[in-house]
Amino acid sequence: MEKLELHYYLSDKSHSMDAFVKNKAEAELLKVFKEISDILELDLSFEIEALTEGGIKEFIKILKKKKTKKQITKILAVVGVIFSGVLTNIISDQLTKNPELEKSQLEESQLNIKKLKRDLEKEDISEDESTIIIENLTVLISNTDKIKFHRSNFYSNLLKENKIEQISTTELDENNVPLSKEKKVSREDFNKFIVHKVKIDSEFVEDANIEIVSPVLKSGKIKWRGYYDTKAISFNLLDSDFKNSVLNREVSFQNGTSIKCLLEFEKEMDDEGNIKITEINVFDVTNVFEGETTIITKRGKEIIEEKKQIKLDFGTNEE
């Protein structure tokens, strides 16, 4: 596969469209292609060839950057089919809300993709088997969050141009001869690719140990600073009882003083589809450690009593 034709079908037989819309949309399209290349572990570059009329047609030339090993030549031959499928097939329009689940799913997908790539390179594989493998690769890649995110942005931008009635992709050889049937997506289906709301669940760590570097000894919305898992963090202390005990000088801080608590990492997806930590919050401070001394806080005592009560309740039920 040498090229991918991207065809914008425009109303009123027009041959022009808003330049800002087109550039923003295709910036997201190239991010989709780059992400697919990274997932497939292919070192590719992309060139845009001159436009032709008929709505607007654009030819995206796919090039390998370095000398490619012989054993991955088959995947290179069908990479345009995968690009086209990811762009035009509706697989899922929802992002994974749980980052830990996304991580495990991504690891599993990467293993499956590597296996499918190995299967595709086998000498005795049939055409039907190759087709199934390519379809499976397309589904796995389409279900990754970064692909969904950038593809969503691509279609969102296209909706801003009222002239666009549909788009299509076609795989071409180096002489612009079609290698496949044209795959079309009508304007009314653009929304099916769009992720309308991105919400990432917070990550909680129970019994987290934070070494306090800079406590806040006065009221206000000032962040505390400390070390968690050898990394410097700034956090909001949201345990009101512990905060009051600090303000009342009931708890002192020395070099090396640490706390045990419930730690929350608030997260969101940035403009590149990466999950970033936006806020760090501390709840339920149960213990303060000062050298060899351990102080159980008010909340710590409450939690101990709650656990005792749960045990008693279970014991009563068993009888």
Side-chain angles (χ1 to χ4, degrees):
M1 213 301 297
E2 294 287 338
K3 301 176 187 177
L4 188 68
E5 179 189 278
L6 179 62
H7 188 172
Y8 300 94
Y9 287 85
L10 307 177
S11 60
D12 301 326
K13 297 182 179 179
S14 175
H15 302 301
S16 64
M17 61 183 283
D18 187 289
F20 286 100
V21 169
K22 184 173 181 296
N23 287 340
K24 286 181 180 179
E26 290 184 1
E28 296 296 333
L29 180 65
L30 290 174
K31 289 175 184 177
V32 170
F33 289 170
K34 177 64 168 62
E35 184 64 21
I36 295 172
S37 302
D38 290 344
I39 291 171
L40 293 174
E41 298 177 315
L42 298 175
D43 196 9
L44 302 176
S45 62
F46 306 92
E47 293 181 356
I48 304 295
E49 290 193 353
L51 306 180
T52 65
E53 293 188 354
I56 295 179
K57 290 183 181 179
E58 191 161 84
F59 301 102
I60 303 168
K61 194 169 185 178
I62 302 168
L63 306 167
K64 58 181 183 291
K65 285 185 180 178
K66 300 175 182 177
K67 188 175 180 180
T68 306
K69 295 179 182 179
K70 185 178 179 181
Q71 63 265 32
I72 63 169
T73 53
K74 285 186 181 179
I75 192 71
L76 277 173
V78 300
V79 71
V81 180
I82 296 171
F83 286 164
S84 183
V86 168
L87 193 62
T88 59
N89 292 336
I90 302 168
I91 307 295
S92 171
D93 63 352
Q94 297 298 317
L95 294 175
T96 303
K97 292 184 179 181
N98 187 318
E100 289 301 314
L101 178 60
E102 162 64 10
K103 182 180 177 182
S104 64
Q105 288 176 338
L106 181 60
E107 290 171 352
E108 184 178 352
S109 292
Q110 288 171 339
L111 292 174
N112 288 331
I113 287 168
K114 287 180 179 180
K115 180 183 182 301
L116 290 169
K117 282 174 63 181
R118 288 195 302 269
D119 291 343
L120 188 63
E121 296 298 331
K122 290 178 180 177
E123 300 263 343
D124 57 348
I125 191 169
S126 68
E127 187 173 337
D128 287 342
E129 289 172 327
S130 293
T131 300
I132 293 171
I133 289 173
I134 294 165
E135 289 175 352
N136 288 337
L137 278 170
T138 301
V139 170
L140 285 171
I141 293 168
S142 295
N143 272 315
T144 61
D145 273 356
K146 281 192 178 183
I147 294 293
K148 294 176 193 174
F149 182 80
H150 292 306
R151 185 178 59 187
S152 173
N153 289 345
F154 171 72
Y155 282 104
S156 293
N157 279 298
L158 293 186
L159 282 174
K160 296 174 185 177
E161 173 54 88
N162 293 327
K163 291 182 181 180
I164 299 176
E165 295 182 335
Q166 65 178 358
I167 67 160
S168 74
T169 59
T170 309
E171 299 91 57
L172 309 173
D173 67 14
E174 59 184 356
N175 299 313
N176 292 344
V177 176
L179 298 172
S180 68
K181 292 182 179 179
E182 187 179 21
K183 300 180 182 71
K184 296 181 179 180
V185 181
S186 64
R187 185 183 186 88
E188 63 187 24
D189 288 329
F190 287 3
N191 268 312
K192 295 178 181 178
F193 292 92
I194 294 174
V195 179
H196 294 282
K197 187 175 181 181
V198 180
K199 187 181 187 316
I200 306 299
D201 288 345
S202 292
E203 176 187 355
F204 289 92
V205 181
E206 294 184 353
D207 296 333
N209 190 291
I210 301 175
E211 182 182 347
I212 303 301
V213 174
S214 178
V216 178
L217 304 178
K218 62 180 181 179
S219 59
K221 294 183 178 180
I222 305 170
K223 290 181 183 284
W224 288 50
R225 288 187 293 150
Y227 278 93
Y228 170 70
D229 196 23
T230 72
K231 296 177 183 177
I233 62 170
S234 296
F235 60 90
N236 304 303
L237 179 62
L238 301 181
D239 183 327
S240 57
D241 286 333
F242 182 71
K243 184 182 287 186
N244 288 333
S245 67
V246 172
L247 294 176
N248 294 331
R249 300 293 194 272
E250 295 170 12
V251 178
S252 60
F253 294 89
Q254 305 170 10
N255 183 32
T257 298
S258 62
I259 61 173
K260 183 189 287 187
C261 61
L262 174 64
L263 189 60
E264 178 192 22
F265 294 96
E266 293 184 24
K267 300 184 178 185
E268 69 177 15
M269 188 168 285
D270 65 14
D271 291 340
E272 294 301 314
N274 297 307
I275 295 175
K276 301 290 187 182
I277 295 171
T278 56
E279 288 285 349
I280 301 176
N281 303 313
V282 161
F283 304 90
D284 294 350
V285 178
T286 58
N287 299 84
V288 179
F289 304 102
E290 297 177 353
E292 300 296 321
T293 304
T294 299
I295 301 170
I296 302 175
T297 66
K298 179 181 178 182
R299 181 59 185 145
K301 293 174 182 176
E302 288 174 351
I303 290 174
I304 290 171
E305 290 302 314
E306 287 169 5
K307 288 180 178 178
K308 285 181 180 178
Q309 188 59 49
I310 290 171
K311 286 182 179 179
L312 287 173
D313 290 343
F314 273 108
T316 304
N317 290 338
E318 285 174 2
E319 292 175 3

